[in-house]
Amino acid sequence: MTSESTSDDVGLARWAPEMPTVQEIRESMQNFGTPDYIVFAGMLVVCGIVGIYFGFVKKSSGEDEYLVGGRNMKTFPVSLSLLASFISGISLLGTPTEIYVHGTTYLFICSAVVFVTLVTSFVYLPVFHELKLTSTYEYLEKRFDKRMRLLGSVLFAISIITWLPIVIYVPALAFNQVTGVNVHIVTPFVCIVCIFYTCVGGLKAVVWTDFFQTFFMFGSMLLIVIKGTADVGGWSLVIRRNLESGRLEFPTTDWSPLTRHTIWGLTIGGFVHWLQISVINQNMIQRYLSLPTLQSARRALWFFMIFVTILLCICGYAGMLIYAWYHECDPLTTKLARAKDQLLPLLVMNVLGDFPGLPGLFVAGVFSAALSSLSTGLNSMAAVVLEDFVKPFMKTPFTRRGADIFMKLTVVILGAICVALVFVVERASTHVLQLSISLGAITTGPSFGIFNMGILLPWINGKGALIGGIAGLSFMGWLGLSTEAAITSGKIKFNTKPVTTEGCTYSFPQVENLLLSVPPDSILKDVGEEPWALYRLSYLWYTMTGALVTISVGLIVTLITSQDVEKLDPMLVAPFVRKYLKTSRKDVAPKELHQIKVAKSNEKEASCTINEDDKLLPSETSTNNVINK
């Protein structure tokens, strides 16, 4: 050892004890003050007031009013509600983390937005809006049979019950990062407020709280990126540091579906992923159906897609900003941020910690995203439970009061279950988070395939759809769980962008399980043989894979069992398919239809309404009530 190195070691030894530890730095940043709590509580109070207004002042009259807002909601609030439902705390905190760890390629998924909006507007929305459904899965019964309706509802229930606890848990991590408060203290309190306004106010309360919560979301994200950019030295420095680290990049044009992010996976796979969220998700469809006309639903869809793109780009830039701040000292390696989803809250306390009330605004924004997703999920599950799990098996229908009590009780019970499952998410840590995401992909692929068989492929029968759906669910279950096991065991690893701790001004002793470090060769050798190629399929292709398996099996079964297309109601397929559909029904002319609206009054008066655009107007009556011009 040279004298120079010995001198350096002595210097380090003298300096090390004087350096603050990572624990001391973390505790010093947890200065969530009284003004912050006031701002956070103010958001909850506003939500509660909205629930009281629609629950007790302007009461919902009947299940149609409770579940779909009487089908007379306004376009702009509904479009913001769609945004709030789509963007959860997982998106607000997870997107910046994705950019920080893997680079900007994920943001190119936004390129599919225009195509998703066009296809949704002209293929799927007309079918659902004309049938005046409450549950999306009512369609499956009309198109196929009751068994398909039950299967679709079960798939939705599985995805919601596994997704909502994560939606609650992730923002609780953010609250824990800035306050040090245990997640199990804040989650029950916040969820009680959400359950309350969802329970008493119905869809109108959910939509209007979403409306206010959207401003919290946008405001908090804009605040952190504008102030953070100014403090770090300007946006040009943010861009330069990310460019130098290789984070600012375009996706590869590699044709392999095994590559995590390619331009084809992001555009084609992303298109299918966003399409299934937009067109078959009960959370979204329920809002489209709350609008009075198809045209207003289309406008809400366009607003929603524009807002989603803007917000995702803001979240992506926030990820670049995080790297610009911590480019010399990775907080994940040092454990300053104990979980990946705590990166953005960490930046918030660095940038806004000295300004009373502003950290509270950020936390309110993150929890707003979570509450909007939770309230939407609870309201949608109440609709599905009532319409799909209870009504089809009841001999005596509910009274108006009975239905109202049942729906509110359903919201309370499901909300309590989701709060309880937060304990499971926390105990299982990352493994359960990954497993829940995989389970989401397991259900969305088969669901998307089932609905596409109904809307786009009129010659597929109920037996083919049922067997195809079960086959798709089984295949995706095997693929998703096997891949998750391979990732957990370390057989599958993903490339990450470089980080360093050379510029840290604090010590981080006894750091274990470094999240972003490269394992030694000895560890890699013990992993075993490389996993099967199918297990390494990019997650962006999961939804499309599940749908293709479902449709393929459905087609094969239908070819064996046959389907009488002439008996199919043309209104159950996409508008562009109707013109090619041969039907033996004399009372249906797909291109020239009048709609007779039967008023539900004691006199049973009827009024005839003509659609100028040759489209069927919304109706609660069956196709027996349509006549030629």
Side-chain angles (χ1 to χ4, degrees):
M1 181 180 293
T2 64
S3 59
E4 183 179 353
S5 62
T6 304
S7 176
D8 290 341
D9 290 341
V10 172
L12 288 172
R14 290 175 180 173
W15 170 246
E18 300 177 3
M19 294 177 66
T21 65
V22 64
Q23 180 65 26
E24 292 171 344
I25 295 294
R26 188 186 300 127
E27 291 175 355
S28 69
M29 296 176 67
Q30 294 174 346
N31 55 351
F32 207 72
T34 302
D36 301 298
Y37 282 107
I38 292 174
V39 172
F40 178 63
M43 181 270 294
L44 297 179
V45 169
V46 170
C47 296
I49 291 174
V50 172
I52 292 173
Y53 175 75
F54 286 106
F56 299 103
V57 179
K58 198 172 182 179
K59 295 183 179 180
S60 300
S61 55
E63 63 186 74
D64 197 57
E65 184 85 8
Y66 185 87
L67 294 175
V68 288
R71 305 185 192 272
N72 61 357
M73 299 292 291
K74 301 298 183 183
T75 301
F76 188 65
V78 170
S79 62
L80 292 185
S81 179
L82 286 166
L83 172 67
S85 303
F86 180 82
I87 298 292
S88 66
I90 299 173
S91 301
L92 291 183
L93 301 182
T95 304
T97 300
E98 166 67 28
I99 304 306
Y100 179 87
V101 176
H102 297 289
T104 59
T105 54
Y106 174 77
L107 294 180
F108 284 83
I109 199 171
C110 295
S111 61
V113 166
V114 174
F115 302 104
V116 170
T117 308
L118 290 173
V119 172
T120 303
S121 294
F122 296 102
V123 177
Y124 298 93
L125 265 188
V127 177
F128 293 125
H129 214 278
E130 290 161 3
L131 294 174
K132 288 197 72 176
L133 306 175
T134 301
S135 165
T136 314
Y137 307 101
E138 291 178 56
Y139 170 81
L140 296 179
E141 181 178 358
K142 293 177 180 291
R143 172 63 177 85
F144 299 113
D145 51 45
K146 289 184 178 180
R147 298 173 302 174
M148 288 305 304
R149 178 175 181 174
L150 187 60
L151 176 61
S153 302
V154 168
L155 291 174
F156 174 74
I158 293 173
S159 63
I160 282 292
I161 292 175
T162 54
W163 177 62
L164 287 182
I166 304 172
V167 167
I168 301 169
Y169 177 69
V170 170
L173 282 178
F175 194 80
N176 172 260
Q177 175 72 20
V178 300
T179 66
V181 176
N182 189 286
V183 295
H184 298 300
I185 295 177
V186 65
T187 49
F189 177 73
V190 172
C191 291
I192 286 172
V193 176
C194 180
I195 293 169
F196 168 75
Y197 73 73
T198 306
C199 178
V200 301
L203 184 73
K204 286 188 175 181
V206 172
V207 168
W208 282 104
T209 51
D210 286 351
F211 178 80
F212 292 115
Q213 288 163 354
T214 302
F215 289 99
F216 275 103
M217 282 193 290
F218 267 105
S220 62
M221 291 305 298
L222 286 174
L223 179 65
I224 183 62
V225 298
I226 292 173
K227 181 67 167 58
T229 301
D231 289 353
V232 81
W235 69 271
S236 59
L237 181 63
V238 174
I239 298 297
R240 179 167 59 81
R241 286 180 177 173
N242 280 270
L243 193 61
E244 291 173 351
S245 69
R247 281 170 172 78
L248 191 61
E249 61 182 351
F250 288 92
T252 176
T253 56
D254 185 1
W255 285 98
S256 173
L258 308 183
T259 304
R260 186 170 185 267
H261 284 169
T262 66
I263 189 65
W264 318 112
L266 289 162
T267 53
I268 302 173
F271 167 77
V272 175
H273 173 70
W274 277 44
L275 190 61
Q276 67 84 18
I277 292 175
S278 178
V279 302
I280 67 166
N281 192 308
Q282 173 70 19
N283 299 346
M284 312 296 282
I285 293 295
Q286 199 167 335
R287 272 142 188 75
Y288 299 140
L289 300 180
S290 69
L291 294 165
T293 65
L294 177 60
Q295 194 60 34
S296 59
R298 284 172 171 162
R299 284 197 299 269
L301 175 64
W302 277 102
F303 280 130
F304 158 63
M305 287 298 182
I306 292 171
F307 291 145
V308 162
T309 304
I310 294 173
L311 190 56
L312 283 181
C313 289
I314 293 174
C315 291
Y317 179 78
M320 297 170 61
L321 182 62
I322 292 172
Y323 178 75
W325 266 82
Y326 304 112
H327 70 289
E328 291 184 342
C329 184
D330 174 44
L332 293 177
T333 302
T334 65
K335 295 298 184 182
L336 183 60
R338 285 171 287 193
K340 290 182 180 180
D341 290 325
Q342 290 182 327
L343 281 173
L344 187 59
L346 178 67
L347 178 65
V348 168
M349 296 312 295
N350 272 127
V351 175
L352 305 177
D354 295 333
F355 297 88
L358 294 188
L361 177 63
F362 168 77
V363 173
V366 175
F367 264 103
S368 292
L371 289 178
S372 61
S373 299
L374 178 60
S375 61
T376 298
L378 293 177
N379 188 259
S380 299
M381 273 302 298
V384 169
V385 169
L386 177 65
E387 298 292 335
D388 301 333
F389 292 148
V390 177
K391 276 189 174 181
F393 304 101
M394 290 184 62
K395 295 182 179 179
T396 304
F398 272 122
T399 62
R400 175 177 294 183
R401 178 174 174 77
D404 185 60
I405 293 174
F406 179 83
M407 289 183 292
K408 292 179 179 179
L409 188 62
T410 301
V411 169
V412 172
I413 293 174
L414 290 172
I417 292 173
C418 291
V419 172
L421 286 176
V422 172
F423 286 91
V424 179
V425 173
E426 183 194 36
R427 289 180 184 277
S429 188
T430 306
H431 182 264
V432 169
L433 288 173
Q434 294 175 351
L435 181 61
S436 297
I437 294 171
S438 300
L439 189 59
I442 290 168
T443 56
T444 55
S447 293
F448 188 61
I450 290 170
F451 276 92
N452 276 289
M453 284 190 287
I455 294 174
L456 302 177
L457 305 174
W459 55 85
I460 291 185
N461 59 25
K463 185 175 293 185
L466 179 64
I467 297 176
I470 295 174
L473 177 62
S474 302
F475 177 80
M476 292 306 299
W478 164 75
L479 176 61
L481 295 177
S482 299
T483 302
E484 178 66 26
I487 294 173
T488 304
S489 65
K491 292 182 179 180
I492 296 179
K493 296 182 180 296
F494 303 107
N495 294 328
T496 58
K497 297 302 180 182
V499 293
T500 183
T501 57
E502 293 178 357
C504 291
T505 57
Y506 56 87
S507 62
F508 40 99
Q510 299 179 347
V511 173
E512 299 176 352
N513 301 323
L514 301 184
L515 296 177
L516 299 178
S517 63
V518 179
D521 292 338
S522 59
I523 296 178
L524 292 175
K525 291 178 182 178
D526 293 337
V527 170
E529 62 181 12
E530 188 175 346
W532 192 27
L534 192 58
Y535 294 167
R536 293 184 283 117
L537 179 69
S538 171
Y539 71 98
L540 292 170
W541 296 106
Y542 267 37
T543 302
M544 176 177 283
T545 302
L548 289 176
V549 171
T550 301
I551 294 173
S552 299
V553 174
L555 281 170
I556 294 171
V557 174
T558 300
L559 288 174
I560 298 173
T561 57
S562 76
Q563 160 80 338
D564 189 358
V565 180
E566 293 186 353
K567 293 182 179 180
L568 180 65
D569 183 353
M571 306 315 299
L572 296 173
V573 298
F576 77 93
V577 177
R578 294 171 191 167
K579 64 180 70 176
Y580 304 109
L581 189 65
K582 295 181 180 179
T583 177
S584 61
R585 299 180 58 170
K586 302 300 183 183
D587 61 331
V588 178
K591 284 190 175 182
E592 298 180 344
L593 291 174
H594 288 182
Q595 184 71 20
I596 297 178
K597 286 186 174 181
V598 180
K600 294 183 176 180
S601 62
N602 293 332
E603 294 79 15
K604 296 182 179 179
E605 295 178 350
S607 62
C608 182
T609 305
I610 300 176
N611 187 349
E612 298 293 341
D613 298 325
D614 293 334
K615 290 184 176 64
L616 191 64
L617 292 178
S619 172
E620 293 182 359
T621 61
S622 67
T623 53
N624 291 329
N625 293 321
V626 294
I627 61 173
N628 293 330
K629 283 183 180 177

